[in-house]
Amino acid sequence: MTQTIKLYDIYHADLFSRAKASLLVENINPKADRVILDFDGITFMSRSFTDELYNIVIDSPEKDFLYLHRNDDIRIMMEKVADGRNRDRQLGIPPAQMLSFNSQSELADFLVMQ
């Protein structure tokens, strides 16, 4: 079964925030094996919405997602986010060291020494 979701009918012209993207799950028919996301009328899509959209698509490997009527800005945003998700993150800081203490006094001694 194929389902078409017109994003404009849910969100209007602007797609923004992870919370709003997560609402999309409520509109996906569980019986659909193919979901067409129709971007007709969408003029803006934020990076956070796009990243969460990818989370939804990746978390539904049993569904085939297709995109319809994406303008150049939407297409570019999706390409940039997909590229960023596939690249190793380099934060520029060393990984945190995990410490454990056997008692509150050991923790207190450690904190005093810092």
Side-chain angles (χ1 to χ4, degrees), residues 24-38:
L24 182 60
V25 173
E26 298 171 10
N27 291 281
I28 297 174
N29 185 331
K31 294 180 180 178
D33 54 351
R34 173 176 286 161
V35 179
I36 299 171
L37 298 179
D38 187 347

Side-chain angles (χ1 to χ4, degrees), residues 21 31-32 67 83 92 112:
K31 294 180 180 178
Y67 310 108
D83 182 52
V112 169

Side-chain angles (χ1 to χ4, degrees), residues 20-69:
K20 289 205 180 259
S22 65
L23 294 175
L24 182 60
V25 173
E26 298 171 10
N27 291 281
I28 297 174
N29 185 331
K31 294 180 180 178
D33 54 351
R34 173 176 286 161
V35 179
I36 299 171
L37 298 179
D38 187 347
F39 286 84
D40 191 35
I42 302 298
T43 57
F44 172 78
M45 186 165 70
S46 73
R47 188 173 199 91
S48 60
F49 185 99
T50 308
D51 189 61
E52 188 63 23
L53 176 64
Y54 277 113
N55 288 338
I56 293 166
V57 170
I58 290 168
D59 288 344
S60 297
E62 69 279 355
K63 296 189 185 306
D64 184 23
F65 282 86
L66 303 171
Y67 310 108
L68 188 64
H69 298 123

Side-chain angles (χ1 to χ4, degrees), residues 7-20:
L7 297 173
Y8 186 87
D9 292 346
I10 300 168
Y11 302 106
H12 302 291
D14 296 331
L15 306 178
F16 58 91
S17 89
R18 290 181 185 282
K20 289 205 180 259

